[in-house]
Amino acid sequence: MKTATALLGAALLLSACANTPPGAPPSQNLRPVETITSAPVADPAAVRWMDGFCAAVHGYRERTNREAEVAQPTPGSVDESQKALSASLGGIAARTGETVDKLTALPPAPVPLGDTVRQAFVTKFTKARDRAAEAKTTFDRAKPGNEASQVSAVKAVKEAQQDVDGTYDPVGAVAASPELMLAATAAPGCKA
């Protein structure tokens, strides 16, 4: 009888372990939580502003490169050299002036840093424009054949080019603003 009781107890124990309590959820029905992330979207006003800002700066660089590609004959006389220097000063004044006009025509930036950077660029391009225009006027008034006037004209060309140094990367200039950096990725003018 002891054996029958022991077998009955073992059978009851095994059947109790085999049954899961009612209401317990099966583990295979659990799913991991899914998170959906989306890429940040640039503010359309910031994109338009960055597009105009980049286009103005890149436009200056592209125009300068295009005009430099035109092969100029080597001046054969002092008179020809004066004409070439006058044309060079006039070109610098025109290109920088066009850039100043485009930058000042931009609406207020959507981020304060944008206006600060724009003003710094306007200041540099204005200085170069004014320097080149003034030097051209003085140079053109010099007595024809005056070699000494060429020295100041050449100096003015170099200084005007130095005035705009550091203005070739409009996107880098706004790197401290995540909003403007995001806008730059969507602005066509910034892809030059």
Side-chain angles (χ1 to χ4, degrees):
M1 178 116 180
K2 282 185 177 184
T3 312
T5 307
L7 285 177
L8 180 62
L12 287 175
L13 182 63
L14 286 175
S15 66
C17 290
N19 292 334
T20 57
S27 61
Q28 64 268 25
N29 288 340
L30 295 178
R31 283 194 259 159
V33 176
E34 293 181 29
T35 56
I36 299 173
T37 58
S38 60
V41 178
D43 173 27
V47 172
R48 283 189 300 276
W49 191 88
M50 280 302 298
D51 186 48
F53 180 66
C54 289
V57 175
H58 288 314
Y60 168 79
R61 181 184 47 77
E62 290 166 355
R63 182 175 170 190
T64 299
N65 290 343
R66 191 172 50 251
E67 290 177 13
E69 287 176 358
V70 178
Q72 300 295 328
T74 303
S77 68
V78 172
D79 189 45
E80 288 177 4
S81 183
Q82 284 180 311
K83 287 179 183 177
L85 276 171
S86 179
S88 181
L89 287 166
I92 292 170
R95 290 187 303 273
T96 54
E98 179 182 291
T99 305
V100 167
D101 293 344
K102 287 179 179 180
L103 290 172
T104 55
L106 288 173
V111 175
L113 176 68
D115 285 326
T116 302
V117 169
R118 172 183 38 188
Q119 187 55 51
F121 276 55
V122 166
T123 299
K124 287 182 172 214
F125 280 102
T126 300
K127 185 175 180 182
R129 177 198 65 197
D130 294 349
R131 184 187 306 273
E134 183 180 313
K136 179 176 175 18
T137 300
T138 302
F139 186 64
D140 289 348
R141 288 184 184 157
K143 184 178 178 181
N146 181 348
E147 291 184 45
S149 66
Q150 292 184 22
V151 173
S152 62
V154 169
K155 181 180 176 189
V157 168
K158 288 179 183 177
E159 288 174 344
Q161 290 170 338
Q162 290 171 345
D163 289 338
V164 295
D165 278 351
T167 61
Y168 301 109
D169 182 13
V171 176
V174 298
S177 170
E179 184 177 350
L180 292 178
M181 290 300 288
L182 179 61
T185 63
C190 295
K191 298 187 185 338

PDB file of all heavy atoms in Angstrom, residues 45-57 98-110 114-115 117-119 121-122 170 174:
ATOM      1  N   ALA A  45      11.815  78.402 -43.644  1.00  0.00           N
ATOM      2  CA  ALA A  45      12.347  79.768 -43.657  1.00  0.00           C
ATOM      3  C   ALA A  45      13.868  79.745 -43.516  1.00  0.00           C
ATOM      4  O   ALA A  45      14.573  80.524 -44.168  1.00  0.00           O
ATOM      5  CB  ALA A  45      11.717  80.599 -42.542  1.00  0.00           C
ATOM      6  N   ALA A  46      14.384  78.852 -42.690  1.00  0.00           N
ATOM      7  CA  ALA A  46      15.831  78.728 -42.515  1.00  0.00           C
ATOM      8  C   ALA A  46      16.480  78.198 -43.790  1.00  0.00           C
ATOM      9  O   ALA A  46      17.578  78.637 -44.163  1.00  0.00           O
ATOM     10  CB  ALA A  46      16.155  77.821 -41.326  1.00  0.00           C
ATOM     11  N   VAL A  47      15.811  77.278 -44.463  1.00  0.00           N
ATOM     12  CA  VAL A  47      16.341  76.742 -45.726  1.00  0.00           C
ATOM     13  C   VAL A  47      16.420  77.849 -46.774  1.00  0.00           C
ATOM     14  O   VAL A  47      17.441  78.001 -47.461  1.00  0.00           O
ATOM     15  CB  VAL A  47      15.489  75.559 -46.247  1.00  0.00           C
ATOM     16  CG1 VAL A  47      15.919  75.140 -47.646  1.00  0.00           C
ATOM     17  CG2 VAL A  47      15.564  74.382 -45.290  1.00  0.00           C
ATOM     18  N   ARG A  48      15.364  78.659 -46.884  1.00  0.00           N
ATOM     19  CA  ARG A  48      15.369  79.754 -47.866  1.00  0.00           C
ATOM     20  C   ARG A  48      16.482  80.759 -47.543  1.00  0.00           C
ATOM     21  O   ARG A  48      17.187  81.227 -48.434  1.00  0.00           O
ATOM     22  CB  ARG A  48      14.009  80.458 -47.894  1.00  0.00           C
ATOM     23  CG  ARG A  48      12.930  79.696 -48.646  1.00  0.00           C
ATOM     24  CD  ARG A  48      11.675  80.529 -48.845  1.00  0.00           C
ATOM     25  NE  ARG A  48      11.068  80.966 -47.590  1.00  0.00           N
ATOM     26  CZ  ARG A  48      10.239  80.238 -46.849  1.00  0.00           C
ATOM     27  NH1 ARG A  48       9.913  79.025 -47.236  1.00  0.00           N
ATOM     28  NH2 ARG A  48       9.733  80.711 -45.729  1.00  0.00           N
ATOM     29  N   TRP A  49      16.635  81.074 -46.261  1.00  0.00           N
ATOM     30  CA  TRP A  49      17.652  82.043 -45.871  1.00  0.00           C
ATOM     31  C   TRP A  49      19.050  81.499 -46.178  1.00  0.00           C
ATOM     32  O   TRP A  49      19.881  82.197 -46.761  1.00  0.00           O
ATOM     33  CB  TRP A  49      17.522  82.398 -44.391  1.00  0.00           C
ATOM     34  CG  TRP A  49      18.377  83.565 -44.043  1.00  0.00           C
ATOM     35  CD1 TRP A  49      18.035  84.880 -44.119  1.00  0.00           C
ATOM     36  CD2 TRP A  49      19.743  83.520 -43.596  1.00  0.00           C
ATOM     37  NE1 TRP A  49      19.112  85.657 -43.749  1.00  0.00           N
ATOM     38  CE2 TRP A  49      20.174  84.860 -43.430  1.00  0.00           C
ATOM     39  CE3 TRP A  49      20.646  82.505 -43.334  1.00  0.00           C
ATOM     40  CZ2 TRP A  49      21.455  85.192 -43.002  1.00  0.00           C
ATOM     41  CZ3 TRP A  49      21.923  82.830 -42.917  1.00  0.00           C
ATOM     42  CH2 TRP A  49      22.318  84.160 -42.745  1.00  0.00           C
ATOM     43  N   MET A  50      19.321  80.272 -45.783  1.00  0.00           N
ATOM     44  CA  MET A  50      20.631  79.670 -46.046  1.00  0.00           C
ATOM     45  C   MET A  50      20.888  79.552 -47.542  1.00  0.00           C
ATOM     46  O   MET A  50      22.012  79.728 -48.002  1.00  0.00           O
ATOM     47  CB  MET A  50      20.763  78.296 -45.372  1.00  0.00           C
ATOM     48  CG  MET A  50      21.095  78.345 -43.906  1.00  0.00           C
ATOM     49  SD  MET A  50      22.623  79.232 -43.491  1.00  0.00           S
ATOM     50  CE  MET A  50      23.876  78.263 -44.326  1.00  0.00           C
ATOM     51  N   ASP A  51      19.853  79.255 -48.310  1.00  0.00           N
ATOM     52  CA  ASP A  51      20.007  79.151 -49.757  1.00  0.00           C
ATOM     53  C   ASP A  51      20.469  80.492 -50.329  1.00  0.00           C
ATOM     54  O   ASP A  51      21.410  80.542 -51.128  1.00  0.00           O
ATOM     55  CB  ASP A  51      18.688  78.710 -50.396  1.00  0.00           C
ATOM     56  CG  ASP A  51      18.829  78.452 -51.879  1.00  0.00           C
ATOM     57  OD1 ASP A  51      19.775  77.752 -52.287  1.00  0.00           O
ATOM     58  OD2 ASP A  51      17.995  78.972 -52.647  1.00  0.00           O
ATOM     59  N   GLY A  52      19.841  81.571 -49.912  1.00  0.00           N
ATOM     60  CA  GLY A  52      20.233  82.899 -50.383  1.00  0.00           C
ATOM     61  C   GLY A  52      21.620  83.293 -49.917  1.00  0.00           C
ATOM     62  O   GLY A  52      22.409  83.861 -50.687  1.00  0.00           O
ATOM     63  N   PHE A  53      21.937  82.986 -48.670  1.00  0.00           N
ATOM     64  CA  PHE A  53      23.242  83.325 -48.111  1.00  0.00           C
ATOM     65  C   PHE A  53      24.347  82.573 -48.853  1.00  0.00           C
ATOM     66  O   PHE A  53      25.322  83.166 -49.318  1.00  0.00           O
ATOM     67  CB  PHE A  53      23.254  82.999 -46.616  1.00  0.00           C
ATOM     68  CG  PHE A  53      24.553  83.301 -45.923  1.00  0.00           C
ATOM     69  CD1 PHE A  53      24.999  84.606 -45.786  1.00  0.00           C
ATOM     70  CD2 PHE A  53      25.325  82.278 -45.411  1.00  0.00           C
ATOM     71  CE1 PHE A  53      26.194  84.888 -45.145  1.00  0.00           C
ATOM     72  CE2 PHE A  53      26.523  82.547 -44.762  1.00  0.00           C
ATOM     73  CZ  PHE A  53      26.963  83.856 -44.633  1.00  0.00           C
ATOM     74  N   CYS A  54      24.177  81.260 -48.977  1.00  0.00           N
ATOM     75  CA  CYS A  54      25.186  80.448 -49.669  1.00  0.00           C
ATOM     76  C   CYS A  54      25.307  80.850 -51.135  1.00  0.00           C
ATOM     77  O   CYS A  54      26.420  80.941 -51.670  1.00  0.00           O
ATOM     78  CB  CYS A  54      24.826  78.972 -49.573  1.00  0.00           C
ATOM     79  SG  CYS A  54      25.017  78.241 -47.941  1.00  0.00           S
ATOM     80  N   ALA A  55      24.178  81.094 -51.803  1.00  0.00           N
ATOM     81  CA  ALA A  55      24.200  81.447 -53.227  1.00  0.00           C
ATOM     82  C   ALA A  55      24.962  82.754 -53.449  1.00  0.00           C
ATOM     83  O   ALA A  55      25.712  82.877 -54.428  1.00  0.00           O
ATOM     84  CB  ALA A  55      22.783  81.549 -53.768  1.00  0.00           C
ATOM     85  N   ALA A  56      24.807  83.717 -52.550  1.00  0.00           N
ATOM     86  CA  ALA A  56      25.526  84.990 -52.691  1.00  0.00           C
ATOM     87  C   ALA A  56      27.032  84.771 -52.591  1.00  0.00           C
ATOM     88  O   ALA A  56      27.806  85.276 -53.416  1.00  0.00           O
ATOM     89  CB  ALA A  56      25.054  85.986 -51.628  1.00  0.00           C
ATOM     90  N   VAL A  57      27.451  84.007 -51.602  1.00  0.00           N
ATOM     91  CA  VAL A  57      28.882  83.787 -51.379  1.00  0.00           C
ATOM     92  C   VAL A  57      29.473  82.904 -52.471  1.00  0.00           C
ATOM     93  O   VAL A  57      30.528  83.216 -53.032  1.00  0.00           O
ATOM     94  CB  VAL A  57      29.124  83.197 -49.977  1.00  0.00           C
ATOM     95  CG1 VAL A  57      30.588  82.850 -49.783  1.00  0.00           C
ATOM     96  CG2 VAL A  57      28.662  84.181 -48.905  1.00  0.00           C
ATOM     97  N   GLU A  98      28.258  93.217 -56.070  1.00  0.00           N
ATOM     98  CA  GLU A  98      27.112  92.337 -56.340  1.00  0.00           C
ATOM     99  C   GLU A  98      26.829  91.446 -55.126  1.00  0.00           C
ATOM    100  O   GLU A  98      25.671  91.239 -54.748  1.00  0.00           O
ATOM    101  CB  GLU A  98      27.417  91.484 -57.567  1.00  0.00           C
ATOM    102  CG  GLU A  98      26.332  90.500 -57.945  1.00  0.00           C
ATOM    103  CD  GLU A  98      26.742  89.662 -59.145  1.00  0.00           C
ATOM    104  OE1 GLU A  98      26.837  90.224 -60.256  1.00  0.00           O
ATOM    105  OE2 GLU A  98      26.974  88.441 -58.972  1.00  0.00           O
ATOM    106  N   THR A  99      27.881  90.967 -54.510  1.00  0.00           N
ATOM    107  CA  THR A  99      27.720  90.098 -53.336  1.00  0.00           C
ATOM    108  C   THR A  99      27.139  90.885 -52.163  1.00  0.00           C
ATOM    109  O   THR A  99      26.243  90.392 -51.463  1.00  0.00           O
ATOM    110  CB  THR A  99      29.066  89.459 -52.953  1.00  0.00           C
ATOM    111  OG1 THR A  99      29.579  88.783 -54.103  1.00  0.00           O
ATOM    112  CG2 THR A  99      28.915  88.474 -51.814  1.00  0.00           C
ATOM    113  N   VAL A 100      27.607  92.113 -51.958  1.00  0.00           N
ATOM    114  CA  VAL A 100      27.062  92.962 -50.893  1.00  0.00           C
ATOM    115  C   VAL A 100      25.568  93.166 -51.126  1.00  0.00           C
ATOM    116  O   VAL A 100      24.753  93.044 -50.193  1.00  0.00           O
ATOM    117  CB  VAL A 100      27.794  94.323 -50.821  1.00  0.00           C
ATOM    118  CG1 VAL A 100      27.042  95.320 -49.946  1.00  0.00           C
ATOM    119  CG2 VAL A 100      29.209  94.136 -50.313  1.00  0.00           C
ATOM    120  N   ASP A 101      25.176  93.455 -52.363  1.00  0.00           N
ATOM    121  CA  ASP A 101      23.762  93.671 -52.682  1.00  0.00           C
ATOM    122  C   ASP A 101      22.924  92.436 -52.372  1.00  0.00           C
ATOM    123  O   ASP A 101      21.827  92.538 -51.805  1.00  0.00           O
ATOM    124  CB  ASP A 101      23.596  94.066 -54.150  1.00  0.00           C
ATOM    125  CG  ASP A 101      24.180  95.437 -54.473  1.00  0.00           C
ATOM    126  OD1 ASP A 101      24.446  96.225 -53.525  1.00  0.00           O
ATOM    127  OD2 ASP A 101      24.386  95.721 -55.676  1.00  0.00           O
ATOM    128  N   LYS A 102      23.425  91.270 -52.742  1.00  0.00           N
ATOM    129  CA  LYS A 102      22.672  90.023 -52.492  1.00  0.00           C
ATOM    130  C   LYS A 102      22.567  89.720 -50.997  1.00  0.00           C
ATOM    131  O   LYS A 102      21.512  89.281 -50.524  1.00  0.00           O
ATOM    132  CB  LYS A 102      23.338  88.853 -53.214  1.00  0.00           C
ATOM    133  CG  LYS A 102      23.150  88.886 -54.706  1.00  0.00           C
ATOM    134  CD  LYS A 102      23.860  87.716 -55.376  1.00  0.00           C
ATOM    135  CE  LYS A 102      23.668  87.730 -56.880  1.00  0.00           C
ATOM    136  NZ  LYS A 102      24.360  86.605 -57.524  1.00  0.00           N
ATOM    137  N   LEU A 103      23.642  89.949 -50.262  1.00  0.00           N
ATOM    138  CA  LEU A 103      23.614  89.667 -48.823  1.00  0.00           C
ATOM    139  C   LEU A 103      22.704  90.633 -48.076  1.00  0.00           C
ATOM    140  O   LEU A 103      21.984  90.232 -47.164  1.00  0.00           O
ATOM    141  CB  LEU A 103      25.029  89.712 -48.240  1.00  0.00           C
ATOM    142  CG  LEU A 103      25.962  88.573 -48.658  1.00  0.00           C
ATOM    143  CD1 LEU A 103      27.387  88.843 -48.170  1.00  0.00           C
ATOM    144  CD2 LEU A 103      25.457  87.239 -48.129  1.00  0.00           C
ATOM    145  N   THR A 104      22.723  91.904 -48.459  1.00  0.00           N
ATOM    146  CA  THR A 104      21.875  92.874 -47.765  1.00  0.00           C
ATOM    147  C   THR A 104      20.405  92.713 -48.152  1.00  0.00           C
ATOM    148  O   THR A 104      19.529  93.149 -47.404  1.00  0.00           O
ATOM    149  CB  THR A 104      22.336  94.329 -48.021  1.00  0.00           C
ATOM    150  OG1 THR A 104      22.381  94.572 -49.415  1.00  0.00           O
ATOM    151  CG2 THR A 104      23.697  94.584 -47.406  1.00  0.00           C
ATOM    152  N   ALA A 105      20.130  92.098 -49.285  1.00  0.00           N
ATOM    153  CA  ALA A 105      18.746  91.878 -49.711  1.00  0.00           C
ATOM    154  C   ALA A 105      18.086  90.703 -48.975  1.00  0.00           C
ATOM    155  O   ALA A 105      16.869  90.548 -49.048  1.00  0.00           O
ATOM    156  CB  ALA A 105      18.694  91.634 -51.218  1.00  0.00           C
ATOM    157  N   LEU A 106      18.875  89.905 -48.278  1.00  0.00           N
ATOM    158  CA  LEU A 106      18.292  88.772 -47.551  1.00  0.00           C
ATOM    159  C   LEU A 106      17.369  89.265 -46.443  1.00  0.00           C
ATOM    160  O   LEU A 106      17.649  90.292 -45.815  1.00  0.00           O
ATOM    161  CB  LEU A 106      19.396  87.916 -46.915  1.00  0.00           C
ATOM    162  CG  LEU A 106      20.243  87.060 -47.851  1.00  0.00           C
ATOM    163  CD1 LEU A 106      21.391  86.418 -47.065  1.00  0.00           C
ATOM    164  CD2 LEU A 106      19.396  85.988 -48.497  1.00  0.00           C
ATOM    165  N   PRO A 107      16.303  88.526 -46.171  1.00  0.00           N
ATOM    166  CA  PRO A 107      15.448  88.890 -45.033  1.00  0.00           C
ATOM    167  C   PRO A 107      16.196  88.614 -43.730  1.00  0.00           C
ATOM    168  O   PRO A 107      17.261  87.989 -43.748  1.00  0.00           O
ATOM    169  CB  PRO A 107      14.245  87.946 -45.192  1.00  0.00           C
ATOM    170  CG  PRO A 107      14.795  86.766 -45.915  1.00  0.00           C
ATOM    171  CD  PRO A 107      15.859  87.310 -46.844  1.00  0.00           C
ATOM    172  N   PRO A 108      15.653  89.047 -42.613  1.00  0.00           N
ATOM    173  CA  PRO A 108      16.305  88.719 -41.337  1.00  0.00           C
ATOM    174  C   PRO A 108      16.460  87.206 -41.201  1.00  0.00           C
ATOM    175  O   PRO A 108      15.582  86.438 -41.607  1.00  0.00           O
ATOM    176  CB  PRO A 108      15.339  89.268 -40.284  1.00  0.00           C
ATOM    177  CG  PRO A 108      14.567  90.331 -40.995  1.00  0.00           C
ATOM    178  CD  PRO A 108      14.447  89.859 -42.423  1.00  0.00           C
ATOM    179  N   ALA A 109      17.565  86.807 -40.633  1.00  0.00           N
ATOM    180  CA  ALA A 109      17.834  85.374 -40.453  1.00  0.00           C
ATOM    181  C   ALA A 109      16.896  84.808 -39.390  1.00  0.00           C
ATOM    182  O   ALA A 109      16.526  85.504 -38.451  1.00  0.00           O
ATOM    183  CB  ALA A 109      19.284  85.165 -40.044  1.00  0.00           C
ATOM    184  N   PRO A 110      16.524  83.538 -39.512  1.00  0.00           N
ATOM    185  CA  PRO A 110      15.640  82.915 -38.528  1.00  0.00           C
ATOM    186  C   PRO A 110      16.349  82.631 -37.196  1.00  0.00           C
ATOM    187  O   PRO A 110      15.701  82.305 -36.211  1.00  0.00           O
ATOM    188  CB  PRO A 110      15.204  81.615 -39.209  1.00  0.00           C
ATOM    189  CG  PRO A 110      16.289  81.330 -40.189  1.00  0.00           C
ATOM    190  CD  PRO A 110      16.832  82.647 -40.619  1.00  0.00           C
ATOM    191  N   GLY A 114      22.772  83.904 -37.685  1.00  0.00           N
ATOM    192  CA  GLY A 114      22.743  84.138 -39.125  1.00  0.00           C
ATOM    193  C   GLY A 114      22.959  85.605 -39.458  1.00  0.00           C
ATOM    194  O   GLY A 114      23.729  85.947 -40.357  1.00  0.00           O
ATOM    195  N   ASP A 115      22.279  86.492 -38.741  1.00  0.00           N
ATOM    196  CA  ASP A 115      22.451  87.928 -38.990  1.00  0.00           C
ATOM    197  C   ASP A 115      23.847  88.394 -38.610  1.00  0.00           C
ATOM    198  O   ASP A 115      24.428  89.247 -39.284  1.00  0.00           O
ATOM    199  CB  ASP A 115      21.386  88.732 -38.251  1.00  0.00           C
ATOM    200  CG  ASP A 115      20.025  88.622 -38.929  1.00  0.00           C
ATOM    201  OD1 ASP A 115      19.978  88.532 -40.177  1.00  0.00           O
ATOM    202  OD2 ASP A 115      19.009  88.619 -38.213  1.00  0.00           O
ATOM    203  N   VAL A 117      26.644  86.573 -38.719  1.00  0.00           N
ATOM    204  CA  VAL A 117      27.555  86.080 -39.758  1.00  0.00           C
ATOM    205  C   VAL A 117      27.364  86.874 -41.049  1.00  0.00           C
ATOM    206  O   VAL A 117      28.330  87.269 -41.694  1.00  0.00           O
ATOM    207  CB  VAL A 117      27.344  84.570 -39.994  1.00  0.00           C
ATOM    208  CG1 VAL A 117      28.069  84.092 -41.231  1.00  0.00           C
ATOM    209  CG2 VAL A 117      27.786  83.779 -38.777  1.00  0.00           C
ATOM    210  N   ARG A 118      26.114  87.120 -41.410  1.00  0.00           N
ATOM    211  CA  ARG A 118      25.852  87.893 -42.629  1.00  0.00           C
ATOM    212  C   ARG A 118      26.512  89.264 -42.527  1.00  0.00           C
ATOM    213  O   ARG A 118      27.152  89.727 -43.469  1.00  0.00           O
ATOM    214  CB  ARG A 118      24.367  88.052 -42.882  1.00  0.00           C
ATOM    215  CG  ARG A 118      24.137  89.018 -44.040  1.00  0.00           C
ATOM    216  CD  ARG A 118      22.729  89.354 -44.384  1.00  0.00           C
ATOM    217  NE  ARG A 118      21.871  89.480 -43.249  1.00  0.00           N
ATOM    218  CZ  ARG A 118      20.564  89.628 -43.342  1.00  0.00           C
ATOM    219  NH1 ARG A 118      20.000  89.668 -44.512  1.00  0.00           N
ATOM    220  NH2 ARG A 118      19.815  89.734 -42.280  1.00  0.00           N
ATOM    221  N   GLN A 119      26.352  89.933 -41.386  1.00  0.00           N
ATOM    222  CA  GLN A 119      26.933  91.265 -41.226  1.00  0.00           C
ATOM    223  C   GLN A 119      28.459  91.230 -41.347  1.00  0.00           C
ATOM    224  O   GLN A 119      29.063  92.117 -41.938  1.00  0.00           O
ATOM    225  CB  GLN A 119      26.518  91.900 -39.900  1.00  0.00           C
ATOM    226  CG  GLN A 119      26.954  93.348 -39.771  1.00  0.00           C
ATOM    227  CD  GLN A 119      26.473  94.208 -40.934  1.00  0.00           C
ATOM    228  OE1 GLN A 119      25.305  94.216 -41.295  1.00  0.00           O
ATOM    229  NE2 GLN A 119      27.393  94.942 -41.550  1.00  0.00           N
ATOM    230  N   PHE A 121      30.172  89.120 -43.152  1.00  0.00           N
ATOM    231  CA  PHE A 121      30.464  88.942 -44.580  1.00  0.00           C
ATOM    232  C   PHE A 121      30.225  90.246 -45.341  1.00  0.00           C
ATOM    233  O   PHE A 121      31.016  90.618 -46.200  1.00  0.00           O
ATOM    234  CB  PHE A 121      29.618  87.812 -45.162  1.00  0.00           C
ATOM    235  CG  PHE A 121      30.188  86.437 -44.958  1.00  0.00           C
ATOM    236  CD1 PHE A 121      30.515  85.966 -43.696  1.00  0.00           C
ATOM    237  CD2 PHE A 121      30.389  85.594 -46.027  1.00  0.00           C
ATOM    238  CE1 PHE A 121      31.040  84.694 -43.515  1.00  0.00           C
ATOM    239  CE2 PHE A 121      30.917  84.323 -45.857  1.00  0.00           C
ATOM    240  CZ  PHE A 121      31.240  83.875 -44.600  1.00  0.00           C
ATOM    241  N   VAL A 122      29.136  90.936 -45.034  1.00  0.00           N
ATOM    242  CA  VAL A 122      28.844  92.209 -45.698  1.00  0.00           C
ATOM    243  C   VAL A 122      29.982  93.195 -45.440  1.00  0.00           C
ATOM    244  O   VAL A 122      30.426  93.891 -46.352  1.00  0.00           O
ATOM    245  CB  VAL A 122      27.487  92.788 -45.228  1.00  0.00           C
ATOM    246  CG1 VAL A 122      27.335  94.244 -45.648  1.00  0.00           C
ATOM    247  CG2 VAL A 122      26.338  91.963 -45.781  1.00  0.00           C
ATOM    248  N   PRO A 170      30.436  79.589 -46.567  1.00  0.00           N
ATOM    249  CA  PRO A 170      29.297  80.126 -45.826  1.00  0.00           C
ATOM    250  C   PRO A 170      28.713  79.139 -44.827  1.00  0.00           C
ATOM    251  O   PRO A 170      28.215  79.541 -43.776  1.00  0.00           O
ATOM    252  CB  PRO A 170      28.292  80.480 -46.925  1.00  0.00           C
ATOM    253  CG  PRO A 170      28.665  79.618 -48.081  1.00  0.00           C
ATOM    254  CD  PRO A 170      30.152  79.423 -47.985  1.00  0.00           C
ATOM    255  N   VAL A 174      28.380  79.213 -40.078  1.00  0.00           N
ATOM    256  CA  VAL A 174      27.199  79.072 -39.216  1.00  0.00           C
ATOM    257  C   VAL A 174      27.218  77.754 -38.437  1.00  0.00           C
ATOM    258  O   VAL A 174      26.189  77.320 -37.924  1.00  0.00           O
ATOM    259  CB  VAL A 174      25.882  79.199 -40.023  1.00  0.00           C
ATOM    260  CG1 VAL A 174      25.766  80.564 -40.664  1.00  0.00           C
ATOM    261  CG2 VAL A 174      25.754  78.092 -41.060  1.00  0.00           C
TER     262      VAL A 174
END
